[in-house]
Amino acid sequence: MEPKRIREGYLVKRGSVFNTWKPMWVVLLEDGIEFYKKKSDNSPKGMIPLKGSTLTSPCQDFGKRMFVFKITTTKQQDHFFQAAFLEERDAWVRDTKKAIKCIEGGQKFVRKSTRRSIRLPETIDLSALYLSMKDAEKGVKELKLEKDKKIFNHCFTGTCVIDWLVSNQSVRNRQEGLMIASSLLNEGYLQPAGDLSKTAVDGTSENPFLDNPDAFYYFPDSGFFCEENSSDDDVILKEEFRGIIIKQGCLLKQGHRRKNWKVRKFVLREDPAYLHYYDPAGGEEPLGAIHLRGCVVTSVESNSDGKKSDEENLFEIITADEVHYFLEAATSKERIEWIKAIQLASRTGK
């Protein structure tokens, strides 16, 4: 019997020879990880055995590269993968760790329904806690705060985070909340905004998180931006980047000139409604932007050159300026999710 496929999708992988980062189609099996140059390839470019391997996440070996995890084999070979966003990385890490554990115990990989963690520090699920904190109604409220002639948008104070943890009964007291908040910060679920919180992160104190009304933080996917006299790394964003991120991930995009297909990381924002696309292997600046206000998006059976079929999950965006974009999702379900999200943003965004 062939090994069971547990998870598959696009990840960016660091090459073992030239150390370049390239998007790959990655398949997690019960006994290993296969990676392909293209999703349509029949043979993998390589295979990583999971037996005896260890996984490190987050992996902070590459500075500005976020959402990286590392797999080290029994031969001490390191393999680095980068996800498009935090929740995607956590899903890959969770399933890969479970696969390794199943191999060690001689068990089959079986998914179980998730249950809320016991309210004890050693058993708190940071990923689940992060999602609860981001809940629009019951989570930590994002505010517009002002300090030192700067305006911080979509952020909150350290005191607000600890207050929420205590009132939500996620922790038993503020000291325990400080420890959990520091873990969220170290794992990348929270980011520092402003000099005070950044200085604490860069320092050597036991708790890099500050229970302080003057220490500002934000969620990495919140649409945070800083205005006015910014003298640090906070960037004054263009209007099109100020919308809240509602969906992101990797898709295949057809080029307008050569009609070739390349993997791109897409970030969908609403109000204003824009779909930005990036080189998934690196680069903070987008390669392009699609203004979605008044656009039409539909699934298609084939594109203009007729080389793609409906089985490959194509969809098309036609902007108000009548520019056509052909995109391909990894699965039929993913295509439907993208179409619905883009349609919603196009109706509600500027």
Side-chain angles (χ1 to χ4, degrees):
M1 291 180 63
E2 292 187 1
K4 175 185 175 183
R5 291 192 172 205
I6 298 169
R7 177 175 292 277
E8 55 188 328
Y10 289 110
L11 292 173
V12 179
K13 185 181 183 299
R14 184 174 185 258
S16 55
V17 179
F18 297 107
N19 296 333
T20 54
W21 294 80
K22 292 183 178 180
M24 295 280 181
W25 181 257
V26 182
V27 179
L28 172 61
L29 305 171
E30 289 179 303
D31 59 352
I33 292 179
E34 295 179 341
F35 50 95
Y36 300 75
K37 189 174 180 180
K38 297 179 181 178
K39 182 186 176 217
S40 57
D41 289 350
N42 294 321
S43 300
K45 190 175 181 181
M47 200 275 193
I48 304 168
L50 290 180
K51 185 176 182 179
S53 295
T54 58
L55 190 148
T56 304
S57 177
C59 176
Q60 300 173 332
D61 294 7
F62 301 99
K64 292 185 177 181
R65 282 194 180 273
M66 297 179 68
F67 318 131
V68 175
F69 62 94
K70 176 176 70 174
I71 297 173
T72 304
T73 67
T74 52
K75 295 182 179 180
Q76 298 304 306
Q77 295 175 324
D78 291 333
H79 298 272
F80 299 92
F81 293 93
Q82 182 181 18
F85 54 99
L86 193 62
E87 290 89 344
E88 183 180 58
R89 183 201 68 184
D90 287 350
W92 276 95
V93 167
R94 184 169 56 249
D95 285 347
T96 304
K97 281 184 174 180
K98 185 173 180 180
I100 293 172
K101 188 175 180 179
C102 287
I103 293 171
E104 293 174 349
Q107 301 170 329
K108 281 284 185 181
F109 187 102
V110 179
R111 293 195 185 278
K112 296 181 179 179
S113 59
T114 55
R115 299 175 63 184
R116 290 194 175 275
S117 302
I118 301 171
R119 294 194 301 271
L120 293 174
E122 62 269 22
T123 56
I124 282 182
D125 184 341
L126 293 180
S127 179
L129 185 60
Y130 164 73
L131 294 176
S132 297
M133 293 174 72
K134 286 188 67 179
D135 185 273
E137 295 182 1
K138 299 180 180 180
V140 177
K141 301 302 179 185
E142 295 178 284
L143 307 168
K144 179 185 285 188
L145 302 172
E146 186 173 355
K147 183 176 174 60
D148 299 330
K149 297 182 179 181
K150 300 177 188 176
I151 299 175
F152 298 86
N153 295 267
H154 298 294
C155 69
F156 37 82
T157 69
T159 301
C160 286
V161 172
I162 305 301
D163 287 345
W164 184 90
L165 290 171
V166 173
S167 64
N168 199 49
Q169 297 184 335
S170 297
V171 296
R172 292 169 292 191
N173 51 57
R174 299 190 76 84
Q175 186 61 36
E176 190 173 287
L178 196 61
M179 181 172 60
I180 297 302
S182 295
S183 298
L184 289 164
L185 190 66
N186 291 334
E187 291 286 331
Y189 292 104
L190 300 177
Q191 295 291 327
D195 296 334
L196 183 62
S197 55
K198 288 182 177 181
T199 300
V201 170
D202 295 335
T204 57
S205 60
E206 181 181 351
N207 290 318
F209 189 90
L210 299 177
D211 182 2
N212 189 316
D214 292 324
F216 299 163
Y217 301 89
Y218 65 96
F219 298 123
D221 299 333
S222 66
F224 165 81
F225 64 98
C226 178
E227 297 177 281
E228 304 259 323
N229 302 322
S230 180
S231 59
D232 54 16
D233 294 333
D234 299 322
V235 181
I236 301 176
L237 298 180
K238 296 179 182 178
E239 178 66 23
E240 64 188 62
F241 292 101
R242 295 187 177 184
I244 296 175
I245 295 175
I246 58 174
K247 188 171 179 60
Q248 55 187 321
C250 287
L251 297 167
L252 278 173
K253 177 185 176 294
Q254 186 188 49
H256 281 102
R257 293 182 181 179
R258 298 181 181 179
K259 304 297 181 183
N260 57 336
W261 292 82
K262 291 187 177 181
V263 178
R264 295 293 181 232
K265 175 185 174 180
F266 284 83
V267 177
L268 175 61
R269 293 178 170 89
E270 67 174 355
D271 197 21
Y274 275 89
L275 184 63
H276 294 92
Y277 52 94
Y278 302 76
D279 179 355
E284 297 181 3
E285 293 296 320
L287 299 174
I290 305 172
H291 190 193
L292 299 175
R293 181 64 174 170
C295 78
V296 176
V297 55
T298 58
S299 58
V300 292
E301 293 186 2
S302 62
N303 66 334
S304 56
D305 61 17
K307 292 182 179 179
K308 292 278 181 180
S309 68
D310 185 48
E311 295 177 357
E312 292 178 301
N313 306 305
L314 284 170
F315 62 99
E316 179 185 16
I317 300 173
I318 306 174
T319 68
D321 297 330
E322 296 188 359
V323 180
H324 295 244
Y325 295 87
F326 287 97
L327 307 174
E328 180 188 335
T331 64
S332 176
K333 179 184 176 183
E334 186 180 63
R335 174 172 66 173
I336 294 171
E337 290 174 351
W338 273 104
I339 289 175
K340 287 183 177 179
I342 292 170
Q343 287 175 336
L344 179 62
S346 68
R347 290 195 298 266
T348 59
K350 295 177 183 177

